[in-house]
C-alpha cells in the first residue's frame, strides 16, 4: 500500500515542472534538458526564446531612440506626450527583458538595427506636421510588428520567465498601438476603432 | 526617356511614403505548422506527462468562470427527449457586482475597472498551443464500438461536463420527409450502419453524399504520420464525427483563419440543421455556398487552413461536380426540429403560446433588439457577419491559458431555431445556457432588460 502512494508522490513531483510547458512537444529540440525524462525544464531557453530576446531588445531600443528624437522634433503636445510615454515604458520593458532573458544568453547588437536606423534617418529629414504623421505611422507599424512578435513568442517560446514577460507586455503593446492609432487619426481626421 | 521619367516618378513616390520597417520578418511557424523534431514516443511521453496539469488548468479556468452544476430547467427536454436543458445564469459575476449594476455602467467604465465577467471573454482551447479537434467521450466511445476507430487523443481530454453538451445521439429531421419525424432511431450514424438506416428514405445521390460525410479521411491530429495525437496510426476523422447526426456533439477546434497560434479562437461545432437556408459558412471566410464550404473543409477543419501540412499527411480533395455536390445535397436535406408553437413565418401562434412566451417574443422583436439580426421570417438569420465589439468592455491582450484575448471582429449570425438543443453557445461555446446569452447581449447591446423581460426571453427561445 505504501509503494503506490510514494510512486504517486514521485509522479506529482516530477510533473510539477510541466506547468509552463503546455505547447506541442513535437516541436522541441532533441537536446532540450529533461525531454527524455518526460518533461522539459521550464528555465531552458529554446531557439524561439533566443530569437525573441534579440528582436524584442532591438525593438525596445528603437522605440526609446525614436521617442527621444520625437521629443526634440515634434511641435505637437499630444505627439510629445506619446513619445514620452514610449521612452518611459519601453525603457522599463527593456530592463525587465534583459533580466528575464539571461537564460537565453544572447548577444544584443549595440547599435540600432539597419531598418530602424533608416527609419530614424528618414524621419530626421522631415519636420512639422509631416514629421508627426510619419513618426506615428512608423509607430503604428512597429507596434503591429511587436504585437505579432509577442504572439509568436507566446505560441512557441518555452522559457517560463520570458513567457511571463511576453504575457505581461502584450496588453501594454496593444494599448500603445491604440494610442498611436488614436493620435494618428487625430492628425489626419481618419477613423479609429473606438 | 521613358525610363528616366519612371525613375523620377519612383523617386518622388519614395520621398512621399511613410518610412516603414520591413526587416526581420517572423519565422515561418508564425503562419505555418512546424515540422516535428522529436520521435513520436518522446512526444507522447511528454504529452501524457503534461496531460493531468493541462486538464487541471482548464478545469480551474472553467470553475473560475462558470457554475458548472447539473441544474436542468424542470420539464424542459431537448428535441429527442433524451437530455434535459440546463437553466439559470452560469457565468460568474466579478465579486462585488450584480447584473443590474453592470447593465447601468458604460462599456468604458467596465473596461477600466476590469469588471467584465470572465465567462464573457473568449474561451481558450483545452490546450491552446497544440489546438486541434477534441471529441467528447460519448463520440469516442460510440465510434470505437461501431467502427473500431480511435478518436481519443493522448495529449488532451474534452473539457466540458456531459450535461452542458447536446443530447447524444441527436435526432435527425429530414426536410424531404417531414412526416417521418426523427429518423435516427436513437442511434449514431456511422459508416457501418448508414445504409441500413437510410435506404428507402434518401435518394441515391443523397446516400452517396452521406457515405462520404461518414468516411474517415486523414486529419491534423488523426493520421498515419509521426505528427499526430492518437496512439496508433489513424484512418482519420469523418465530417460527422463532429457534426454527429448532422447536429453537433460540442466537439471543438481552433479557428483555421487566424495566426499566430495563441491568437486563434476556439470553435464549437456548428449544427448543420437548416443548412438549406444558410447563406454564409466558415469561421472568418464567409463562404457563399455549402458546396464551397464542404469542399474547403478538407483544408480547414481537417488541416487548420494549412494546405502545406495537409499535403504531407494525405489530404482528400473531393471532386467538385460529383462528390461535393452530393455531400452538399445531403446536408441540405437536414431540417430543424419541429417547433409546434411557431406559425409559417416564424412567429408565435397566440393560440398555442403562453403569456410569458408571447411577452418574450415582444422583447425579442423590440427592446431586446434580438430580431435585428435573428429575423424570424428568415429562420432567425440575417445572413450577415457582425462585430459585437466586445473589446469595448475589456483590455485586449490578457493571456488566459496560453490564449491571447483579442478583439474577434465580425462573426456570422447563428440561427436560433432549435437553439435549446445546441449548448454551449456563441461560436466558441463560451456561454453554457440561454440565460447566459440573455445577460451577455443585455450588456453588449446596452438594452437594460428587467428580470421579468430576461426570463420571458429565455421562455421564448425554448419554443424555437
Amino acid at each position: 500500500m505504501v509503494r503506490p502512494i510514494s510512486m504517486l508522490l514521485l509522479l506529482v513531483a516530477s510533473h510539477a515542472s510541466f506547468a509552463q510547458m503546455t505547447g506541442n512537444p513535437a516541436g522541441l529540440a532533441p537536446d532540450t534538458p529533461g525531454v527524455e525524462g518526460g518533461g522539459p525544464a521550464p528555465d531552458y531557453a529554446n531557439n524561439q526564446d533566443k530569437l525573441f530576446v534579440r528582436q524584442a531588445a532591438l525593438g525596445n531600443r528603437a522605440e526609446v531612440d525614436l521617442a527621444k528624437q520625437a521629443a526634440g522634433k515634434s511641435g505637437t503636445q499630444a505627439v510629445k506626450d506619446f513619445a514620452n510615454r514610449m521612452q518611459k515604458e519601453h525603457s522599463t520593458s527593456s530592463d525587465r527583458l534583459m533580466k528575464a532573458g539571461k537564460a537565453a544568453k544572447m548577444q544584443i547588437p549595440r547599435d540600432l538595427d539597419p531598418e530602424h536606423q533608416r527609419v530614424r534617418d528618414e524621419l530626421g529629414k522631415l519636420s512639422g506636421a509631416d514629421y508627426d504623421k510619419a513618426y506615428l505611422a512608423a509607430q503604428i507599424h512597429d507596434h503591429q510588428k511587436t504585437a505579432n512578435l509577442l504572439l509568436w513568442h507566446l505560441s512557441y517560446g518555452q522559457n517560463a520567465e520570458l513567457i511571463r514577460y511576453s504575457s505581461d507586455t502584450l496588453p501594454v503593446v496593444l494599448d500603445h498601438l491604440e494610442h498611436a492609432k488614436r493620435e494618428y487619426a487625430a492628425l489626419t481626421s481618419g477613423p479609429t476603432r473606438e | 526617356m521613358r525610363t528616366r521619367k519612371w525613375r523620377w516618378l519612383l523617386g518622388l513616390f519614395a520621398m512621399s511614403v511613410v518610412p516603414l520597417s520591413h526587416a526581420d520578418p517572423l519565422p515561418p511557424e508564425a503562419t505555418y505548422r512546424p515540422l516535428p523534431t522529436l520521435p513520436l514516443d518522446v512526444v507522447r511521453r511528454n504529452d501524457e506527462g503534461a496531460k493531468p496539469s493541462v486538464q487541471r488548468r482548464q478545469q480551474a479556468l472553467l470553475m473560475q468562470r462558470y457554475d458548472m452544476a447539473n441544474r436542468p430547467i424542470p420539464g424542459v427536454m431537448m428535441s429527442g427527449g433524451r437530455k434535459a436543458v440546463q437553466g439559470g445564469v452560469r457565468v460568474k459575476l466579478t465579486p462585488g457586482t450584480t447584473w443590474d449594476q453592470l447593465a447601468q455602467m458604460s462599456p468604458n467604465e467596465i473596461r477600466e475597472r476590469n469588471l467584465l465577467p470572465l465567462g464573457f471573454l473568449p474561451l481558450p482551447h483545452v490546450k491552446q498551443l497544440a489546438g486541434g479537434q477534441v471529441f467528447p467521450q460519448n463520440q469516442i466511445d460510440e465510434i470505437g464500438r461501431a467502427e473500431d476507430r480511435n478518436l481519443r487523443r493522448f495529449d488532451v481530454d474534452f473539457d466540458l461536463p456531459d450535461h452542458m453538451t447536446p443530447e447524444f445521439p441527436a435526432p435527425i429531421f429530414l426536410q424531404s420527409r417531414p412526416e417521418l419525424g426523427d429518423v435516427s432511431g436513437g442511434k449514431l450514424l456511422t459508416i457501418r450502419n448508414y445504409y441500413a438506416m437510410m435506404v428507402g428514405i434518401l435518394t441515391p445521390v443523397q446516400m452517396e453524399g452521406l457515405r462520404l460525410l461518414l468516411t474517415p479521411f486523414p486529419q491534423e491530429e488523426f493520421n498515419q504520420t509521426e505528427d499526430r495525437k492518437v496512439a496508433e496510426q489513424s484512418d482519420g476523422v469523418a465530417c460527422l464525427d463532429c457534426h454527429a447526426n448532422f447536429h453537433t456533439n460540442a466537439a471543438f477546434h481552433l479557428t483555421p483563419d487566424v495566426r499566430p497560434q495563441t491568437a486563434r479562437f476556439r470553435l464549437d461545432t456548428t449544427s448543420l440543421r437548416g443548412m438549406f437556408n444558410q447563406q454564409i459558412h466558415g469561421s472568418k471566410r464567409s463562404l457563399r455556398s455549402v458546396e464551397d464550404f464542404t469542399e474547403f473543409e478538407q483544408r480547414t477543419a481537417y488541416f487548420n487552413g494549412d494546405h502545406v501540412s495537409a499535403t504531407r499527411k494525405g489530404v482528400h480533395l473531393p471532386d467538385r461536380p460529383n462528390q461535393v455536390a452530393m455531400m452538399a445535397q445531403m446536408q441540405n436535406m437536414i431540417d430543424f426540429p419541429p417547433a409546434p408553437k411557431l406559425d409559417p413565418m416564424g412567429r408565435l401562434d397566440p393560440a398555442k403560446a403562453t403569456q410569458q412566451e408571447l411577452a418574450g417574443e415582444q422583447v425579442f422583436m423590440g427592446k431586446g433588439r434580438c430580431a435585428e439580426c435573428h429575423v424570424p421570417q428568415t429562420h432567425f438569420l440575417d445572413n450577415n457577419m457582425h462585430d459585437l465589439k466586445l473589446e469595448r468592455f475589456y483590455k485586449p491582450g490578457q493571456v488566459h491559458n496560453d490564449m491571447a484575448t483579442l478583439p474577434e471582429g465580425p462573426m456570422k449570425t447563428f440561427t436560433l431555431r432549435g437553439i435549446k438543443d445546441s449548448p454551449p453557445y456563441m461560436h466558441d461555446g463560451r456561454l453554457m445556457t440561454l440565460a447566459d446569452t440573455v445577460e451577455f447581449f443585455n450588456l453588449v447591446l446596452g438594452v437594460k432588460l428587467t428580470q421579468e423581460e430576461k426570463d420571458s426571453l429565455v421562455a421564448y427561445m425554448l419554443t424555437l
Side-chain angles (χ1 to χ4, degrees), chain B residues 190-209:
Chain B
T190 69
I191 191 70
R192 298 288 162 82
N193 66 14
Y194 82 96
Y195 185 83
M197 278 171 69
M198 292 297 166
V199 69
I201 297 178
L202 299 178
T203 70
V205 296
Q206 291 160 8
M207 198 70 113
E208 175 62 1

Side-chain angles (χ1 to χ4, degrees), chain B residues 93-154:
Chain B
L93 282 158
T94 308
T97 58
T98 68
W99 291 113
D100 283 339
Q101 279 170 358
L102 283 180
Q104 298 304 320
M105 290 180 196
S106 72
N108 204 37
E109 187 180 359
I110 293 174
R111 181 176 61 183
E112 291 309 313
R113 294 174 59 189
N114 290 319
L115 293 180
L116 186 71
L118 292 172
F120 284 177
L121 291 175
L123 180 64
H125 188 284
V126 62
K127 193 171 184 178
Q128 178 76 23
L129 299 185
Q133 294 184 342
V134 182
F135 299 96
Q137 195 58 43
N138 48 25
Q139 182 76 18
I140 294 171
D141 291 345
E142 193 52 36
I143 290 294
R145 199 157 33 235
E147 300 183 15
D148 196 23
R149 184 159 55 88
N150 186 6
L151 289 177
R152 183 183 173 274
R153 286 174 60 156
F154 55 65

